[in-house]
Amino acid sequence: MSDTDILLDIRALELRYGAAVAVRDISLSVKRGQLVAVIGNNGAGKSSMVRGATGLVRPSGGQVLFKGEDTTRLSADRKVARGLVMVPEGRLLFPDQSVEDNLILGAYAHGGLKSVRSKATLEKVLSLFPRLKERLPQQAGSMSGGEQQMLAIARGLMAEPELLIIDELSLGLAPKIVDQLMRVLADLNAAGLTILLVEQLASYALAIADHAYVIANGRVARHGPSADLARDPEVMEAFLGKKKKAAA
Ligand SMILES: Nc1ncnc2c1ncn2[C@@H]1O[C@H](COP(=O)(O)OP(=O)(O)OP(=O)(O)O)[C@@H](O)[C@H]1O
Ligand SMILES: [Mg+2]
């Protein structure tokens, strides 16, 4: 693959909250068509990296290139319009608004539902999530956790992403639901969507990703093909807090 296949290129990113450094030095790239996982323990700096990459927090160092363009200082809105879309940690839906209104807000970057393009996108997104189609008038906050995460993903798709970043898909969900949603992501990726999946439940993320990065202390501790990382006992123990089974 040539460099033009790289959608997102994060170079030596550094991000601080006041004096506290959350991201020390992260370089990471996502090629068009890939599903890349970012894993790591609580507080490792995963969400901060995402906030830096998407423009929600201004990085204190490094660069963010999207489709070859330096977008380091662009606002989150401008990045969404270029195709860099995030499903945030904790979903951040509008709980009192209907499912339909939440979806319409996702189409904001493309002129809302007034545009023909957004209407067609809504039809397409609802065909992927029939559960949501049945619940268009329901208040978003009254749906189950899994349905709310589905809505958060669907709202992201309404912005017609070229890269969809999902921060903690599994948050607060039962393993069976996490499995189902992981399958949805794998299907979306198989249909051509490039995905960056930030996830604390490493084994789930590694199972569907091509390539993965392990983040620890605001740095990339390891990266490589997911299958290799999943087999590496040191990765599991040192960076993901999984204990080796005691010898019998
Ligand atoms: N708004 C903030 N103000 C100050 N410090 C923050 C802020 N957000 C995060 N931090 C700190 O930055 C560090 C990295 O946090 P971050 O949320 O990026 O980690 P994470 O890897 O996403 O963790 P988790 O798996 O729990 O979501 C932590 O030490 C955290 O306390
Ligand atoms: Mg986080």
Side-chain angles (χ1 to χ4, degrees), residues 17 22 40-48 51 89 168 200:
Y17 300 105
N41 284 330
N42 282 129
K46 305 181 298 297
S47 295
S48 301
R51 285 179 209 128
E89 187 175 47
E168 300 294 349
Q200 223 190 101

Side-chain angles (χ1 to χ4, degrees), residues 120-131:
T121 308
L122 180 63
E123 283 310 309
K124 205 168 124 195
V125 168
L126 289 176
S127 71
L128 290 170
F129 297 99
R131 273 277 261 288

Side-chain angles (χ1 to χ4, degrees), residues 7-108:
L7 260 192
L8 178 68
D9 194 4
I10 298 177
R11 298 181 179 170
L13 190 74
E14 186 196 272
L15 187 145
R16 299 161 184 265
Y17 300 105
V21 186
V23 175
R24 288 171 202 284
D25 180 6
I26 293 184
S27 295
L28 167 163
S29 64
V30 182
K31 288 177 183 157
R32 203 176 279 279
Q34 274 188 322
L35 197 169
V36 173
V38 174
I39 55 184
N41 284 330
N42 282 129
K46 305 181 298 297
S47 295
S48 301
M49 179 208 79
V50 168
R51 285 179 209 128
T54 54
L56 286 173
V57 176
R58 188 158 282 205
S60 46
Q63 266 187 318
V64 180
L65 279 78
F66 186 62
K67 295 190 279 187
E69 180 194 6
D70 187 345
T71 59
T72 317
R73 312 247 158 247
L74 280 190
S75 67
D77 281 4
R78 305 274 294 276
K79 292 201 192 197
V80 170
R82 281 167 168 73
L84 177 60
V85 176
M86 170 174 65
V87 177
E89 187 175 47
R91 287 139 216 165
L92 308 187
L93 297 170
F94 295 93
D96 300 331
Q97 307 245 27
S98 68
V99 168
E100 186 169 18
D101 287 345
N102 272 274
L103 288 171
I104 289 170
L105 285 162
Y108 174 77

Side-chain angles (χ1 to χ4, degrees), residues 171-244:
L171 197 72
L173 302 178
K176 205 177 102 188
I177 309 294
V178 178
D179 267 333
Q180 283 172 12
L181 291 173
M182 288 287 172
R183 222 168 302 137
V184 169
L185 294 193
D187 289 347
L188 285 168
N189 178 244
L193 180 66
T194 311
I195 297 175
L196 182 66
L197 173 63
V198 177
E199 179 58 62
Q200 223 190 101
L201 297 184
S203 55
Y204 285 88
L206 292 176
I208 62 164
D210 308 303
H211 200 88
Y213 290 79
V214 181
I215 306 291
N217 279 321
R219 297 180 198 277
V220 176
R222 284 276 201 288
H223 70 101
S226 301
D228 293 354
L229 294 181
R231 267 196 301 268
D232 185 338
E234 205 191 354
V235 165
M236 292 298 163
E237 278 175 54
F239 306 118
L240 304 172
K242 298 251 164 44
K243 292 268 179 318
K244 212 192 270 175

